[in-house]
Amino acid sequence: MELRWLLCVTLLALGTLAVQAHDMDDDNEGDDVVDIEDDLDDGIEEAEELKPETSTPPPTPKVTYRPPVPTGEVYFVESFDKGTLDGWILSKAKKDDTDDEISKYDGKWEVQDMKDTKLPGDKGLVLVTRAKHHAISSKLSKPFVFDTKPLIIQYEVNFQNGIECGGAYVKLLSKTPELNLDQFHDKTPYTIMFGPDKCGEDYKLHFIFRHKNPKTGKYEEKHAKRPDADLKTYFTDKKTHLYTLVLNPDNSFEILVDQTVVNSGNLLNDMSPPVNPPREIEDPNDQKPEDWDERPKIPDPDAVKPDDWDEDAPAKIADENAVKPEGWLDDEPEYVADPDAEKPEDWDEDMDGEWEAPQIANPKCETAPGCGTWQRPMIDNPNYKGKWKPPMIDNVNYQGIWKPRKIPNPDFFEDLEPFKMTPFSAVGLELWSMTSDIFFDNFIICTERAVADDWANDGWGLKKAADGAAEPGVVGQMMAAAEEQRPWLWVVYILTVALPVFLVVLFCCSGKKQPSAAEYKKTDAPQPDVMDEEKEEEKDKGDKEEEEEEEEANEEKIGSDADIGSASQEEEEEDEEEDRKRASEEEETVNRSPRNRKPRKD
């Protein structure tokens, strides 16, 4: 579910980006048309002049095989490009302590082209059969003597069908008077064994050398430490891999796969068992004294068991508070004889005894809480303490863990130059494999790193280049890796894609869209500085309109106050006029009165 959810989120985000990109293209389409229409005629003329007569796709890269040629002194070299086993000897020996049917070294070897080869003509030695012993060897041009020059052995291996259980290592056969390549077998003395080996899920890359004890003259195998690198891919990817061992006179060594170091160390420090034995060993005759006390703690001798400690109290007791469930069937057994069972026809009571029907669960108990005699459930006893033991205290007589004393090692020796191994004069493959068609190619034994590198570049490098030209792109390789070997890579791919997409959508698409400078140039829209000035003017205009509205409001208020004042003044004037009219009327009345009338003169 989580993987499906991540896929949905990724697809949604990619769809969002695609829609936005499409919208942006639509927005710019009209502007682009203006430019195109302006220069349409000129563009057509130029295109016609520059148009090539014919257009052909570039040729597919092709890698041609050429047999590698050594560029310096070599002790052994083999590319199998002759198509024969000339110079190689098939063993006719038998393995000791093995059944005759499988003891023979009758496994088949052939020189063939590699399956699905990208380099026609590049041949190699193929272990053809499975579940058989195989042994084949070839002489060096001259024996290799370990002195002041390095040893470099290098060859290619391809597990064309994978590998179930088997090896692809080589043996450098020691130079001895008894060496007979016609009888090469697993006990034939070798100086170095090197190469890949696998059985089950144990993937190995051997480097073993046989060291001669200078005191006893016996040989002992010394194994290099296991590499830290993961070797599984070299056995499962069905590709050709280059294995190289570099052994230096200063006792250092390097193991490389495909020209990459996967293991390194020193013959004196990184081999098991060590080349040199310890100076001192434990005395095998030393014995621990009888009174030696190795106990760091002892029971307290002064401790006394408490009086209330009951060692006989049981760990479990019946639950006294438990009550039998209602409906419990005390008289019904838990199991009854199967009423449908029938005695077999071949049942012999004399031989088999009296036949009894098999027992089945009582059907009546299915709907009841239980059947049979009810018993109280058991619970932990709160008074249980178990058997009393005295507490432990420090042992004042403790002497530590006894060890035997050290004595000088009578077998001690010191070999500071383990590089100087037994010379070898032949190279051989002695293998058992449960998988067929193991491909070997381009063996070289030399002393110069540059010679080995040139040989690798002309052989393995050519194969790698041919495979690379035929392989899919990076995306295809990532898909194949996720599908075939590491399904968890799908999660990594999805997170790698989804996180940037989410961030792009979040930070780039959430804000207000601003037109680009190109859009300003193609349209009459004002530039950002003009737009800023227009915004300021609009702001000032808005402020002025607000001030005018306030002034109009004040004038209306003042006007209303003036109207009220004029109305009151008119009322006062009307009152005064009425008073004057009243006064004049009163005066006229007085004048008409007889008292105030003047006497008439005759």
Side-chain angles (χ1 to χ4, degrees):
M1 290 299 293
E2 294 180 358
L3 183 59
R4 183 177 299 174
W5 180 83
L6 288 173
L7 283 171
C8 292
V9 172
T10 303
L11 292 174
L12 180 60
L14 290 174
T16 302
L17 286 180
V19 170
Q20 291 182 351
H22 180 70
D23 292 341
M24 293 178 66
D25 291 339
D26 291 342
D27 294 339
N28 296 333
E29 184 177 359
D31 299 332
D32 294 339
V33 170
V34 175
D35 295 338
I36 293 172
E37 290 178 352
D38 293 339
D39 300 331
L40 183 60
D41 296 335
D42 296 339
I44 293 175
E45 294 177 358
E46 293 178 0
E48 291 178 352
E49 293 177 359
L50 297 176
K51 183 177 179 180
E53 295 181 358
T54 58
S55 59
T56 58
T60 303
K62 183 178 180 181
V63 181
T64 303
Y65 177 72
R66 290 179 299 177
V69 178
T71 58
E73 182 183 6
V74 296
Y75 288 78
F76 181 81
V77 67
E78 179 62 82
S79 64
F80 301 101
D81 292 322
K82 296 179 181 179
T84 65
L85 289 174
D86 292 346
W88 291 83
I89 300 174
L90 296 173
S91 176
K92 300 177 183 178
K94 290 184 178 181
K95 290 196 69 170
D96 297 336
D97 304 327
T98 307
D99 293 340
D100 291 339
E101 296 179 358
I102 61 173
S103 63
K104 294 181 180 179
Y105 283 91
D106 55 355
K108 190 175 181 181
W109 298 90
E110 289 183 2
V111 175
Q112 300 177 355
D113 288 337
M114 188 167 55
K115 293 181 179 180
D116 301 325
T117 182
K118 308 299 187 299
L119 286 175
D122 182 15
K123 300 182 182 296
L125 178 65
V126 179
L127 183 149
V128 178
T129 50
R130 61 181 298 275
K132 287 183 176 292
H133 293 289
H134 305 74
I136 191 171
S137 57
S138 181
K139 283 277 189 179
L140 273 61
S141 58
K142 59 181 178 180
F144 186 93
V145 179
F146 295 87
D147 47 22
T148 60
K149 294 182 178 180
L151 166 66
I152 301 174
I153 176 171
Q154 182 173 273
Y155 68 106
E156 302 169 14
V157 177
N158 187 316
F159 297 104
Q160 300 182 96
N161 297 332
I163 185 71
E164 295 178 10
C165 184
Y169 44 80
V170 300
K171 290 182 177 180
L172 306 182
L173 304 180
S174 301
K175 180 185 177 182
T176 61
E178 298 82 14
L179 180 60
N180 182 4
L181 299 185
D182 188 65
Q183 296 297 314
F184 174 37
H185 56 90
D186 60 323
K187 301 292 177 54
T188 301
Y190 68 89
T191 300
I192 290 176
M193 188 176 88
F194 169 67
D197 187 18
K198 184 249 182 182
C199 199
E201 290 299 315
D202 189 11
Y203 302 90
K204 299 179 181 179
L205 183 53
H206 291 298
F207 166 40
I208 305 171
F209 78 94
R210 295 173 72 245
H211 180 260
K212 184 177 181 180
N213 188 314
K215 298 190 72 171
T216 63
K218 294 182 179 180
Y219 286 88
E220 184 178 18
E221 291 184 350
K222 308 296 181 180
H223 296 248
K225 63 181 181 180
R226 294 180 69 97
D228 296 330
D230 184 8
L231 306 175
K232 183 176 181 179
T233 303
Y234 306 132
F235 294 83
T236 58
D237 62 2
K238 299 182 181 180
K239 294 182 179 180
T240 302
H241 294 288
L242 181 71
Y243 295 89
T244 308
L245 171 65
V246 180
L247 195 57
N248 298 307
D250 63 356
N251 300 320
S252 64
F253 67 87
E254 285 185 336
I255 299 174
L256 302 90
V257 180
D258 298 343
Q259 297 183 325
T260 300
V261 176
V262 298
N263 197 4
S264 62
N266 190 284
L267 298 179
L268 291 172
N269 305 321
D270 300 300
M271 307 301 291
S272 178
V275 170
N276 296 315
R279 291 180 177 272
E280 293 183 333
I281 60 172
E282 295 179 348
D283 186 356
N285 299 320
D286 193 12
Q287 296 181 356
K288 182 175 69 173
E290 295 181 358
D291 59 350
W292 190 276
D293 196 341
E294 293 182 329
R295 302 172 300 165
K297 298 282 187 179
I298 59 173
D300 185 359
D302 300 328
V304 179
K305 182 176 71 173
D307 295 335
D308 59 349
W309 193 283
D310 186 2
E311 293 184 346
D312 299 328
K316 297 282 187 179
I317 59 175
D319 185 2
E320 298 297 335
N321 297 324
V323 178
K324 181 171 69 174
E326 294 183 3
W328 188 278
L329 304 178
D330 296 274
D331 299 331
E332 292 289 340
E334 294 185 27
Y335 295 94
V336 296
D338 185 359
D340 299 328
E342 297 180 358
K343 183 174 70 171
E345 296 180 358
D346 59 349
W347 187 273
D348 187 350
E349 292 188 355
D350 295 334
M351 297 293 294
D352 303 325
E354 184 179 356
W355 181 82
E356 294 181 356
Q359 298 287 305
I360 62 172
N362 191 343
K364 297 180 180 180
C365 299
E366 294 180 357
T367 58
C371 293
T373 304
W374 180 80
Q375 295 180 350
R376 298 179 183 276
M378 304 299 288
I379 61 174
D380 293 335
N381 184 2
N383 297 320
Y384 173 74
K385 296 183 179 180
K387 188 173 182 178
W388 180 84
K389 295 180 180 179
M392 303 298 288
I393 61 173
D394 293 335
N395 184 5
V396 295
N397 297 320
Y398 175 66
Q399 296 175 273
I401 304 300
W402 182 84
K403 294 181 180 180
R405 64 174 175 266
K406 297 284 188 177
I407 61 172
N409 184 0
D411 298 325
F412 173 75
F413 65 84
E414 189 174 34
D415 181 2
L416 299 180
E417 296 179 320
F419 170 77
K420 294 184 177 181
M421 305 175 190
T422 304
F424 62 90
S425 59
V427 58
L429 298 168
E430 187 268 319
L431 305 170
W432 164 274
S433 177
M434 294 301 296
T435 306
S436 61
D437 296 329
I438 302 177
F439 184 90
F440 299 85
D441 199 7
N442 293 332
F443 289 85
I444 186 172
I445 298 175
C446 61
T447 60
E448 298 181 23
R449 189 70 171 267
V451 174
D453 290 343
D454 292 341
W455 179 264
N457 294 333
D458 293 342
W460 173 79
L462 211 58
K463 289 186 178 72
K464 184 178 179 182
D467 291 340
E471 283 183 353
V474 176
V475 175
Q477 295 178 15
M478 293 172 64
M479 299 278 287
E483 291 177 355
E484 296 178 1
Q485 302 173 7
R486 303 176 179 88
W488 52 266
L489 285 175
W490 284 115
V491 179
V492 177
Y493 296 162
I494 292 172
L495 292 177
T496 304
V497 173
L499 184 59
V501 169
F502 174 75
L503 294 177
V504 169
V505 173
L506 180 63
F507 294 107
C508 298
C509 303
S510 60
K512 185 177 179 181
K513 182 178 178 181
Q514 297 293 340
S516 63
E519 291 176 346
Y520 285 129
K521 294 178 181 180
K522 294 180 180 180
T523 65
D524 294 333
Q527 295 293 335
D529 54 348
V530 177
M531 294 177 65
D532 294 339
E533 293 177 0
E534 290 179 354
K535 290 180 179 179
E536 293 179 358
E537 292 177 359
E538 291 177 357
K539 183 177 180 181
D540 295 339
K541 184 178 180 180
D543 294 338
K544 291 180 180 179
E545 291 178 354
E546 291 179 359
E547 293 177 358
E548 291 175 357
E549 290 176 357
E550 292 179 357
E551 291 176 358
E552 290 176 359
N554 293 333
E555 289 175 357
E556 290 177 358
K557 183 177 181 182
I558 295 171
S560 62
D561 293 341
D563 293 340
I564 295 172
S566 61
S568 61
Q569 185 176 1
E570 290 176 357
E571 289 178 358
E572 290 178 356
E573 290 176 353
E574 289 178 357
D575 292 340
E576 290 179 356
E577 185 175 357
E578 289 179 359
D579 291 341
R580 285 194 300 270
K581 288 180 179 182
R582 193 180 297 113
S584 62
E585 288 176 354
E586 289 178 356
E587 182 179 0
E588 184 178 358
T589 302
V590 171
N591 292 332
R592 289 177 181 179
S593 173
R595 186 182 304 176
N596 296 329
R597 187 180 296 172
K598 294 180 180 181
R600 186 172 66 180
K601 295 179 179 181
D602 294 338

